[in-house]
Amino acid sequence: MERAQFSGIRALVLGAETAAGRVLATALAAAGAHTAIVAASPDATVAFEVQRLSRRIGAASQAIDATNEMAVRVMTRQLSKRLGGLDLLLFCADLGDGTADALALAARFAAREIARTGEGAIVIALPGGTAADIPPLAAEYEPKGVRVLALDLPPQPDEAWAREVLERLP
């Protein structure tokens, strides 16, 4: 992956504690994107792991309760300001029963930030069940210039998978 390929792209990875989140955040940063990573749980151990990843790849980081509307709104706005805008949300947070709610919140606030600066994408990388979430999100956000995509998530996301994903991004 060429470093300049994503130069200037401002990306937020929510669910950076997951295998998919880690490899995608690492690949984005290596490809030159301005990257912010967020743990979808305020658990101290999870937050520590995401903070270690952020230092390794040179990304801003936070840990939040991704099912809490105010936490998601504040986090999205703060990191968008820090990045100078937002072009891409990669949603990788697998929160069990709270995943659909967290996805809806993250999509709403990320779409708002993306629309402020032009157009971009919301990309969902979750095991199974994501196809059902795409039509309503796409219908709501695509008219605003925000593309919504779902990724096929392999059992063990790796660097090769992350490179393939980045090649498919708008």
Side-chain angles (χ1 to χ4, degrees), residues 81-138:
K81 279 181 147 180
R82 184 167 180 177
L83 295 172
L86 190 62
D87 302 303
L88 176 63
L89 167 67
L90 282 164
F91 186 91
C92 308
D94 190 358
L95 300 168
D97 291 342
T99 300
D101 292 338
L103 174 57
L105 289 173
R108 179 177 359 139
F109 295 116
R112 185 179 295 165
E113 294 301 321
I114 292 168
R116 287 179 201 262
T117 56
E119 56 186 40
I122 296 170
V123 178
I124 305 164
L126 291 171
T130 58
D133 297 322
I134 299 304
L137 290 176

Side-chain angles (χ1 to χ4, degrees), residues 1-2 5-6 23-24 27-28 30-31 158-169:
M1 185 84 29
E2 291 181 29
Q5 182 177 355
F6 281 83
V23 298
L24 288 171
L28 278 166
D158 59 13
E159 289 180 29
W161 172 78
R163 281 192 302 275
E164 182 181 314
V165 167
L166 294 188
E167 289 170 5
R168 292 177 28 204
L169 292 180

Side-chain angles (χ1 to χ4, degrees), residues 51-97:
Q51 187 177 45
R52 282 183 41 197
L53 175 62
S54 76
R55 284 194 304 269
R56 194 171 77 240
I57 66 173
S61 70
Q62 285 190 17
I64 64 164
D65 174 357
T67 62
N68 179 300
E69 182 174 354
M70 184 59 73
V72 175
R73 179 174 31 177
V74 169
M75 172 275 300
T76 307
R77 186 69 188 127
Q78 284 178 343
L79 291 176
S80 177
K81 279 181 147 180
R82 184 167 180 177
L83 295 172
L86 190 62
D87 302 303
L88 176 63
L89 167 67
L90 282 164
F91 186 91
C92 308
D94 190 358
L95 300 168
D97 291 342

